[in-house]
Amino acid sequence: MSLPDLTNYFIFARVVAAGSISAGARELNMPKSTVSRRLTELEEEQGIRLVHRTRKGLKLTDIGQAFLIHCETLVSAAEAAQQVTQLMLAAPRGKVHVSAPYALSQSLLTELLPPFMKAYPEINVELTVTNRPINLVDEGVDVALRVRASIEDSSLIARPLADSPGTLYGAPALLAEHGVPKHPLDLLHFPHLSLHYTSGRYTYQLSAEDGEQLTLSFNPRLVTDDMLVLREAAVQGEGLVALPNYLCADAVASGQLQRVLPNWHLPVGIMHLVYPHRRGLLPAVRVFIDYMVAHIPVLAQRSLLIG
Amino acid sequence: MSLPDLTNYFIFARVVAAGSISAGARELNMPKSTVSRRLTELEEEQGIRLVHRTRKGLKLTDIGQAFLIHCETLVSAAEAAQQVTQLMLAAPRGKVHVSAPYALSQSLLTELLPPFMKAYPEINVELTVTNRPINLVDEGVDVALRVRASIEDSSLIARPLADSPGTLYGAPALLAEHGVPKHPLDLLHFPHLSLHYTSGRYTYQLSAEDGEQLTLSFNPRLVTDDMLVLREAAVQGEGLVALPNYLCADAVASGQLQRVLPNWHLPVGIMHLVYPHRRGLLPAVRVFIDYMVAHIPVLAQRSLLIG
DNA sequence: AACTTACGTTCCAATAATGGAACGTTATTT
DNA sequence: AAATAACGTTCCATTATTGGAACGTAAGTT
């Protein structure tokens, strides 16, 4: 099967509307030689004469008339299709599919989404909250909020938002029971809670301010992929846990949690946005990204100052 | 303005239906390199990503989904357009616009059209009867029946049907009154009737059987472009007239008219069909031509034998 | 684990489409 | 009557498109 060149149908419709090959060529901004050739081509392809060429304008054959009707709906369909894309490109509108882990969703996005949606009433947001690592393309996600030790995914564009330093936290009661740790080795006497790691290996990578580094293995009593669950468990005194500071700022202020070994730092997580292909980014997605890039660092900074 | 290549819309719709670029390429019978390139081309032209490419099949974006709907109506329109032409090509059907002069229409076509239309029930005939010379293209005529001294029109295809010899005719009463002419010069005493000629010059070009030629000018008493009017006027004894023999056979048989100078011949008219461009001839027009070519010579011959 | 299959993309010589200029006609203007 | 303008077509060097082969990658198979 050899597929027909539908552009010829388009040209045919435009030429008939214009009344002559020359006029059609002018409207189409093409040389009339091309228009003439393509029209003849169409007739040969169809095996039928569609227009009679006279000196002054063209004259449709009966079959050309019937053929034209379908060509016109074809042109309309093409224009409608174009409008679909051009509408989405003309202004920030349409759906933005966002993905975020629970912790970030319930803190940052809870705060930022309402004002964002108020600022862009034509944008609909679909928010998928999950801690599972997702494939943006497979799940049809436009932009994902992530915290990782490093930004490595090469096929995606990443926009760093803020560093997310973490510390060990524990409930005052737990610390009273086991004694406040002075040195990392004191941690071995404690129960521990941790995020789930597919590697199955659980360690603290601690670094002191003088540069000293220490890696400590532990067996977690509780493993989950929800940081908020970890925080609540820690508040209940179930064990020590490594968490981003911004998540614990409130709990520390209210006395529910206490920093453990505050002079030893955990690896800094980098909070960032990722999205596919910088090219062809829809305005709706672009303004979402811009909005988050503009506001998340401020919010994160505020949390850190408090924490 | 650069016009979009609508074939890309078509390819897009087919690829989505097939589920992958490779499968779409197979269905379209195109190399996948081309399909891949054209799809990317379409996305760049629209400035928007329409499909996400994954290893196993494609995934439409939301906008791609909306875009696709219009592409599908576009494909339907293209198929409908094709059907219009292919239907007309598949069998003799549709309209045939025929043009003929009065004389031929009322003799030959009156006899041949009914059986033709019975033989091809899907064909509709539109018959324009006029003696005025017509431009086939301008008037949208598919095929014209003509009688001319020569076949000269170069832009048309001509199919000769039969020679149409002519003679001078007169009513017996008129001949009794003025005396039966023995020699062309005797014609000068008669009143004459004639077809209308735009040249304004009226002559008889007589040739004897021994090759002798004679051109005789005359002033017609009656000029019309309808041969049947001339014949009736001649029957009424209004004057002599040069007419095709087949037209007068009946009148001669019934004694209403008589041949004048039967040994002197008028220029032979050639009855023929003309139609534009042998290429792209519709089956309906083709079978009409074939039918006339098959039957008119027989009918004409019969008339001549009688006459 | 190694192998096979199937996907989408890229490369580049072979091929096809393009478009400015010239042509032959015809209607209109000078 | 001559000149001009406009039409559709054709020509052919330039330009753009094509498609087979090779590539990198991921899923299924031995």
Side-chain angles (χ1 to χ4, degrees), chain A residues 3-9 38 41-42 45, chain B residues 5-7:
Chain A
L3 84 168
D5 188 341
L6 298 195
T7 306
N8 289 349
Y9 293 50
R38 306 264 291 193
E41 203 176 292
L42 176 64
E45 171 189 294
Chain B
D5 188 342
L6 298 195
T7 306

Side-chain angles (χ1 to χ4, degrees), chain B residues 4 23 33 51 63 72 88 104 107 129 174 189 202 231 256:
Chain B
S33 58
V51 292
I63 292 166
E72 282 170 346
M88 290 299 168
L104 292 181
S107 52
V129 181
L174 184 73
H189 310 304
Y202 295 89
R231 187 181 64 184
Q256 292 181 291

Side-chain angles (χ1 to χ4, degrees), chain B residues 42-123:
Chain B
L42 176 63
E43 289 183 322
E44 284 179 1
E45 171 190 294
Q46 297 296 321
I48 268 185
R49 187 149 287 262
L50 299 171
V51 292
H52 288 303
R53 289 115 164 115
T54 72
R55 310 298 165 187
K56 40 183 176 183
L58 299 176
K59 187 173 167 56
L60 277 173
T61 60
D62 292 327
I63 292 166
Q65 181 72 47
F67 192 81
L68 174 65
I69 291 168
H70 297 294
C71 288
E72 282 170 346
T73 79
L74 184 146
V75 171
S76 300
E79 286 171 352
Q82 281 231 58
Q83 277 198 345
V84 167
T85 60
Q86 296 325 107
L87 241 167
M88 290 299 168
L89 285 178
R93 58 166 65 94
K95 198 178 78 178
V96 178
H97 192 167
V98 182
S99 168
Y102 287 103
L104 292 181
S105 166
Q106 289 168 27
S107 52
L108 297 177
L109 291 185
T110 304
E111 195 160 342
L112 289 177
L113 271 185
F116 171 77
M117 297 185 70
K118 199 163 191 176
Y120 298 101
E122 290 191 86
I123 295 182

Side-chain angles (χ1 to χ4, degrees), chain B residues 180-249:
Chain B
V180 173
K182 306 292 185 206
H183 186 271
L185 291 179
D186 297 337
L187 298 174
L188 296 175
H189 310 304
F190 282 82
H192 299 278
L193 321 173
S194 175
L195 277 179
H196 171 76
Y197 293 117
T198 45
S199 68
R201 289 181 299 179
Y202 295 89
T203 60
Y204 295 132
Q205 294 183 291
L206 298 162
S207 46
E209 282 167 3
D210 63 3
E212 186 184 354
Q213 297 226 346
L214 206 82
T215 299
L216 222 64
S217 285
F218 64 93
N219 274 319
R221 291 200 56 212
L222 171 64
V223 163
T224 172
D225 57 7
D226 188 349
M227 286 187 176
L228 296 179
V229 168
L230 291 176
R231 187 181 64 184
E232 289 317 300
V235 167
Q236 299 304 321
E238 301 291 346
L240 300 182
V241 64
L243 283 175
N245 295 340
Y246 78 89
L247 249 195
C248 302

Side-chain angles (χ1 to χ4, degrees), chain A residues 36-213:
Chain A
S36 169
R37 203 179 332 98
R38 306 264 291 193
L39 199 54
T40 306
E41 203 176 292
L42 176 64
E43 290 183 322
E44 285 179 1
E45 171 189 294
Q46 297 297 320
I48 268 186
R49 187 150 287 261
L50 298 172
V51 292
H52 288 302
R53 289 115 163 113
T54 72
R55 309 298 164 184
K56 41 183 175 184
L58 300 175
K59 188 175 167 55
L60 277 173
T61 59
D62 292 329
I63 292 166
Q65 181 72 50
F67 191 82
L68 174 66
I69 291 167
H70 298 293
C71 288
E72 281 170 346
T73 79
L74 185 146
V75 171
S76 300
E79 286 171 352
Q82 282 231 55
Q83 277 198 345
V84 166
T85 59
Q86 297 324 106
L87 242 168
M88 290 299 169
L89 285 177
R93 58 166 66 93
K95 198 177 80 179
V96 177
H97 191 168
V98 182
S99 168
Y102 286 103
L104 292 181
S105 167
Q106 289 168 27
S107 51
L108 297 176
L109 291 185
T110 304
E111 195 158 344
L112 288 178
L113 271 185
F116 171 77
M117 297 185 70
K118 199 162 191 176
Y120 296 100
E122 289 191 86
I123 295 182
N124 303 321
V125 175
E126 179 179 336
L127 176 60
T128 298
V129 180
T130 176
N131 285 322
R132 155 180 68 82
I134 63 159
N135 181 320
L136 296 211
V137 171
D138 288 351
E139 323 232 353
V141 169
D142 294 311
V143 53
L145 205 45
R146 286 181 175 172
V147 181
R148 296 285 158 82
S150 63
I151 302 177
E152 74 282 306
D153 202 325
S154 59
S155 77
L156 299 174
I157 311 298
R159 294 284 294 272
L161 296 170
D163 282 352
S164 176
T167 322
L168 287 171
Y169 289 92
L174 185 72
L175 296 174
E177 183 186 342
H178 290 77
V180 174
K182 308 291 184 205
H183 186 271
L185 291 178
D186 296 337
L187 298 174
L188 296 174
H189 310 304
F190 282 82
H192 298 279
L193 321 174
S194 175
L195 276 181
H196 172 75
Y197 291 118
T198 46
S199 68
R201 289 181 299 178
Y202 294 88
T203 60
Y204 294 133
Q205 294 182 291
L206 297 163
S207 46
E209 281 167 1
D210 62 4
E212 186 183 355
Q213 298 225 346

Side-chain angles (χ1 to χ4, degrees), chain A residues 174-296:
Chain A
L174 185 72
L175 296 174
E177 183 186 342
H178 290 77
V180 174
K182 308 291 184 205
H183 186 271
L185 291 178
D186 296 337
L187 298 174
L188 296 174
H189 310 304
F190 282 82
H192 298 279
L193 321 174
S194 175
L195 276 181
H196 172 75
Y197 291 118
T198 46
S199 68
R201 289 181 299 178
Y202 294 88
T203 60
Y204 294 133
Q205 294 182 291
L206 297 163
S207 46
E209 281 167 1
D210 62 4
E212 186 183 355
Q213 298 225 346
L214 207 83
T215 299
L216 221 66
S217 286
F218 63 93
N219 273 319
R221 289 200 56 212
L222 171 64
V223 163
T224 173
D225 59 7
D226 190 346
M227 286 187 177
L228 297 179
V229 169
L230 290 176
R231 188 182 63 183
E232 289 317 301
V235 167
Q236 300 304 322
E238 302 290 344
L240 299 183
V241 63
L243 282 176
N245 294 340
Y246 78 90
L247 251 193
C248 302
D250 290 349
V252 168
S254 66
Q256 291 181 293
L257 286 179
Q258 230 176 287
R259 282 199 182 180
V260 175
L261 296 176
N263 295 328
W264 292 80
H265 300 297
L266 293 169
V268 169
I270 303 171
M271 190 187 307
H272 56 283
L273 290 173
V274 291
Y275 49 94
H277 6 270
R278 194 175 286 282
R279 274 289 181 87
L281 204 58
L282 286 176
V285 178
R286 187 174 41 70
V287 297
F288 179 88
I289 292 168
D290 290 347
Y291 194 91
M292 294 303 149
V293 166
H295 292 90
I296 286 184

